[in-house]
Amino acid sequence: MSGRVAIITGAASGIGRAIAEALAQDGNPVVVADRNAEQGRTVADAIGGYFVQADLSLRKDCKRIVDEALAQYGVVDILINNAGFQHIDPIETFPEDIWEEMLAVMLTAPFLLTKYVWATMKAKGWGRVVNIASIHGRVASPFKSAYITAKHGLIGLTRTAALEGGAHGITVNAVCPAYVRTPLVESQIADQARTRELSPQEVIEQVMLEPAAIKRLITPEEVAALVVYLCSDAAGAVTGADWAIDLGWTAR
Ligand code: NAD
C-alpha cells in the first residue's frame, strides 16, 4: 500500500506516532494532527508529512484538519482516530469538566472527523477509518469512568459507520489494545500507584499485567502493524470489528 493520504490524530506521541511512521515508511502522505505543536512538527518533519496544530475538543479544529488535508493533498483516504488521554478518579469525585473534555476528544472528535472525510472517501469509492479504542472499549475497570464510556461509545460509532460505509468501499474498524508502553501509560502507572497506594512496579505486575497471558507491555509498533493491515487492500473484507491486541487479557 502506498500513495494513500492519511490523517492521524494524536500523532505527536506514542501509538499515533508509530502509526504515522509506519504509514509514511510505506510511502503514504501523512497529516499529523495534534495539539502539541513542538512534538507534532518534529514527527511530521521526520516523516516528510504535514502538521496541523489542532485541539480536538473543538469542532472548528476538527473541521480545519480535514480542510487543510484536502487543500494540501486533494483527498483523504485514511483516517486514524487516535488522540486521547486518561484521567483516574472515582465517580464520586470525578471532575465534570474532565468528563466533558474526554468525551469531546475521544468520542465526538472521531464522529466529526469521520463525518468530514466521508464525502471524499465516498467520491473515490475507497476509504479506511481506524478508531484506536482500547481493551476498555470492551471491558471496564474502576476509576476510569469517562475513558471507558468514551471507548465503549467509539466501538458503537465504529459499527454504525461500518454499516454506512460498506456500500462505498469504506471500511471502519476499532483496535483495542491493553497496556502499551507510551507516555500515557507511564503517567498512568504513577496515577494508579497514588490511587491504589502501590509502588509503580506493583501497579505493572498486580494491576496492569495480572489478567494478561503474556506478561509484558505492548509496543506502539505492534499496534501500528495491525493498523497498517486494516488500512491495506488485503483487509477489504474486514469491517465493523473491534480488534483486540491485549496479551490475552480478555480471553478469560
Ligand atoms: P500519548 O499520550 O503518548 O499520545 C496521545 C497524543 O494525543 C498526544 O500527542 C497528545 O498531545 C494528543 N492529544 C491529546 N488530547 C488532544 C487534543 N485535545 N487535541 C489534539 N491532540 C490531543 O498516548 P498513547 O498511549 O499513544 O494513546 C493513543 C491512543 O491509544 C489513545 O486514544 C489511547 O486511549 C489509546 N490507547 C492507549 C493504550 C496504552 O496503553 N498506551 C491502550 C489502549 C488504548
Side-chain angles (χ1 to χ4, degrees), residues 58-187:
L58 304 175
R59 194 187 298 179
K60 68 176 171 51
D61 280 20
C62 293
K63 182 77 171 60
R64 193 166 47 77
I65 293 168
V66 178
D67 288 346
E68 285 197 35
L70 289 172
Q72 184 70 15
Y73 296 114
V75 69
V76 177
D77 301 297
I78 295 169
L79 168 65
I80 314 291
N81 286 307
N82 164 78
F85 61 101
Q86 184 58 278
H87 182 89
I88 294 169
D89 252 324
I91 289 174
E92 204 180 356
T93 54
F94 203 95
E96 291 161 31
D97 53 352
I98 293 181
W99 168 276
E100 285 175 0
E101 189 188 353
M102 291 189 97
L103 290 187
V105 173
M106 300 200 295
L107 186 54
T108 303
F111 159 70
L112 292 171
L113 288 162
T114 303
K115 176 178 173 161
Y116 301 148
V117 300
W118 209 249
T120 178
M121 289 182 180
K122 219 168 123 177
K124 201 163 167 182
W126 196 96
R128 296 283 184 266
V129 180
V130 180
N131 294 321
I132 307 303
S134 166
I135 208 59
H136 283 128
R138 307 171 115 210
V139 297
S141 299
F143 312 126
K144 298 181 178 176
S145 53
Y147 186 91
I148 286 164
T149 303
K151 296 300 193 186
H152 274 70
L154 189 55
I155 291 177
L157 174 66
T158 300
R159 292 179 182 148
T160 309
L163 294 179
E164 295 186 25
H168 307 289
I170 303 169
T171 69
V172 186
N173 288 283
V175 168
C176 300
Y179 290 98
V180 185
R181 194 173 274 282
T182 69
L184 181 144
V185 161
E186 300 291 358
S187 71

Side-chain angles (χ1 to χ4, degrees), residues 186 189-190 192-193 198-206 208:
E186 300 291 358
I189 292 168
Q192 292 257 19
L198 296 173
S199 74
Q201 194 53 34
E202 285 170 333
V203 168
I204 293 173
E205 288 169 7
Q206 294 174 23
M208 295 185 165

